[in-house]
């Protein structure tokens, strides 16, 4: 079984108790453990895989809450450090009537951004390992440097690097700074996941297929393109693509749908000894069907991790669909 390492933020998402209001008008929030790398690691573990989250938490109660939930879901937490120098990151979220979000982040800096590469020095990466990262923790910080170190080690070991930009503009001084960081780190990835909402921002290209072609830089061999309720596609560097139309469900909260999707996709890659790219090539439609099922189911409950379905629940859902 392939190990998954995810690196980046683990934080508390404050989800509004009521939908359809602007962030400034919301009176009550519910704390939910989140942060894309935490969500992806949790998805992979809940489905039955071995995942490790590389991050740092404060010594505060929110850090305790995150650690407890991740451990209860089976995520390995050996490389999670704690610090008194900063608090655990917080994100306040508003949801409109269709479940889409707006964010306000509290991290100046948060504990995750102070994560030092020395915390990862004991990891021996191998060619079967998967490494997933996003752009939220690529702002100037010790954590950004730790990304460089860990990505470098995984590439050296011939593991597979997956980049899901997961753009959150409020975190950056300006859009160009965000785009530059995304393009700089995309160069190290074998697989890139982008959503329809991010594609034009990242590439500056309006035409969808031209924009996707522009993502095939350096090592990138496959692009995973997600389109919310309209499902997803895999586009291959050497040409061709496959797609799945997604599922119609009663959506309550889309927070973490993309993370559930990619966590489920990576779990599918863990089930074979073939290389990750070979599996995407040989079994793309089935990989997408499963990942879309997990992504869709995750939107039917509140929260990013508490909404994740078990393997049995996904199997039952897919049988019906
Ligand atoms: P997020 O940033 O919310 O985590 P994302 O923007 O990265 O998500 P999306 O394209 O919104 O990614 O969603 C990923 C996958 O989740 C979709 O391809 C689809 O399979 C599933 N999904 C998302 N939203 C819905 C929805 N409203 N109904 C059904 N499936 C959905």
């Amino acid at each position: 079984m392939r190990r998954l390492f995810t690196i980046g933020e683990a934080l508390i998402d404050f989800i509004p108790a009521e939908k359809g209001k602007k962030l400034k008008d919301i009176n009550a929030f519910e704390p939910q453990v989140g942060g894309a790398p935490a969500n992806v690691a949790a998805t992979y573990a809940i489905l039955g895989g071995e995942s490790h989250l590389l991050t740092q938490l404060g010594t505060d109660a929110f850090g305790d809450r995150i650690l407890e939930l991740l451990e209860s879901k089976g995520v390995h937490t050996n490389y999670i450090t704690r610090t008194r120098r900063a608090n655990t990151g917080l994100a306040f979220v508003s949801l409109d009537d269709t479940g889409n979000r707006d964010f306000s982040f509290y991290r100046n800096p948060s504990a995750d951004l102070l994560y030092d590469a020395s915390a990862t020095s004991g990891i021996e990466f191998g060619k079967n390992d998967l490494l997933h990262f996003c752009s939220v923790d690529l702002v100037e910080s010790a954590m950004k440097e730790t990304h460089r170190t860990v990505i470098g080690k995984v590439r050296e070991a011939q593991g597979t690097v997956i980049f899901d930009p997961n753009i959150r503009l409020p975190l950056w001084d300006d859009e160009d700074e965000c785009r530059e960081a995304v393009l700089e780190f995309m160069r190290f990835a074998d697989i890139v996941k982008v959503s329809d909402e991010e594609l034009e921002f990242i590439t500056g290209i309006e035409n969808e297929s031209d924009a996707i072609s522009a993502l095939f830089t350096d090592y990138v061999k496959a692009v995973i393109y997600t389109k919310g309720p309209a499902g997803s596609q895999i586009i291959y560097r050497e040409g061709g693509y496959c797609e799945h139309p997604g599922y119609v469900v009663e959506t309550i909260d889309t927070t973490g749908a993309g993370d559930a999707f990619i966590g489920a996709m990576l779990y599918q890659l863990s089930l074979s000894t073939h290389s990750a790219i070979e599996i995407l090539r040989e079994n793309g439609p089935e990989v997408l069907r499963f990942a879309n099922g997990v992504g869709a189911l995750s939107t039917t409950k509140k929260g990013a991790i508490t909404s994740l379905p078990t393997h049995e629940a996904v199997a039952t859902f897919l049988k019906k669909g």
Side-chain angles (χ1 to χ4, degrees):
M1 164 89 52
R2 251 176 247 277
R3 297 182 301 177
L4 171 68
F5 292 86
T6 65
I7 181 167
E9 76 285 4
L11 44 74
I12 299 287
D13 283 323
F14 283 86
I15 308 286
E18 50 206 337
K19 274 209 298 192
K21 281 194 174 174
K22 289 196 169 138
L23 203 45
K24 72 178 178 57
D25 297 319
I26 295 168
N27 294 313
F29 293 88
E30 190 181 304
Q32 295 278 355
V33 174
N39 301 340
V40 173
T43 309
Y44 193 89
I46 289 169
L47 293 171
E50 178 183 331
S51 64
H52 300 254
L53 175 61
L54 312 183
T55 193
Q56 180 161 253
L57 302 168
T59 50
D60 49 23
F62 291 129
D64 293 346
R65 183 180 179 124
I66 292 171
L67 205 57
E68 267 175 35
L69 183 72
L70 291 175
E71 284 176 351
S72 76
K73 300 296 181 191
V75 175
H76 291 250
T77 57
N78 317 34
Y79 304 110
I80 299 182
T81 52
R82 308 286 299 266
T83 182
R84 288 182 188 282
R85 290 170 55 215
N87 286 329
T88 303
L90 308 178
F92 289 80
V93 186
S94 69
L95 294 174
D96 69 17
D97 291 329
T98 58
N100 287 320
R101 300 144 301 156
D102 192 14
F103 289 93
S104 182
F105 290 94
Y106 287 73
R107 30 180 256 156
N108 39 21
S110 47
D112 51 315
L113 291 174
L114 305 182
Y115 188 59
D116 191 85
S118 59
T120 65
S121 59
I123 310 176
E124 301 265 337
F125 292 105
K127 73 173 171 39
N128 280 327
D129 290 332
L130 305 169
L131 174 71
H132 170 279
F133 72 102
C134 304
S135 71
V136 166
D137 270 9
L138 296 181
V139 293
E140 286 311 319
S141 61
M143 180 54 121
K144 181 178 184 181
E145 294 313 309
T146 304
H147 273 71
R148 283 191 214 286
T149 305
V150 171
I151 292 167
K153 283 187 183 174
V154 173
R155 289 225 68 86
E156 204 177 290
Q158 299 183 340
T160 304
V161 178
I162 301 101
F163 181 37
D164 174 358
N166 220 1
I167 309 275
R168 298 289 181 261
L169 284 178
L171 296 173
W172 300 85
D173 288 343
D174 59 58
E175 292 191 359
D176 288 345
E177 202 187 352
C178 173
R179 190 181 295 105
E180 274 163 31
V182 167
L183 294 174
E184 179 193 342
F185 278 79
M186 185 138 50
R187 295 178 32 234
F188 304 117
D190 299 287
I191 298 171
V192 173
K193 171 199 167 294
V194 284
S195 71
D196 47 359
E197 291 165 349
E198 297 168 328
L199 185 63
E200 189 179 341
F201 170 80
I202 295 171
T203 60
I205 300 172
E206 206 177 322
N207 177 280
E208 196 180 77
S209 69
D210 291 347
I212 289 172
S213 299
L215 298 176
F216 286 106
T217 59
D218 298 76
Y219 304 109
V220 180
K221 298 169 196 73
V223 170
I224 315 296
Y225 185 47
T226 63
K227 300 184 282 186
S232 52
Q233 297 180 332
I234 305 174
I235 302 101
Y236 306 100
R237 184 174 194 131
E238 60 295 5
Y241 72 99
C242 65
E243 62 188 336
H244 184 279
Y247 294 96
V248 178
V249 289
E250 271 190 41
T251 294
I252 292 178
D253 174 10
T254 58
T255 311
D259 307 332
F261 170 93
I262 194 74
M265 167 167 276
L266 297 177
Y267 174 73
Q268 291 283 298
L269 302 186
S270 79
L271 299 176
S272 160
T273 51
H274 289 194
S275 80
I277 301 300
E278 277 166 2
I279 301 166
L280 290 182
R281 260 257 163 239
E282 291 159 7
N283 214 8
E286 182 51 31
V287 169
L288 287 181
R289 190 174 91 94
F290 184 82
N292 278 340
V294 175
L297 280 174
S298 79
T299 71
T300 61
K301 289 186 189 155
K302 269 194 196 171
I305 294 181
T306 46
S307 65
L308 289 169
T310 60
H311 208 293
E312 293 69 36
V314 185
T316 309
F317 175 77
L318 293 180
K319 246 186 230 159
K320 279 193 222 148

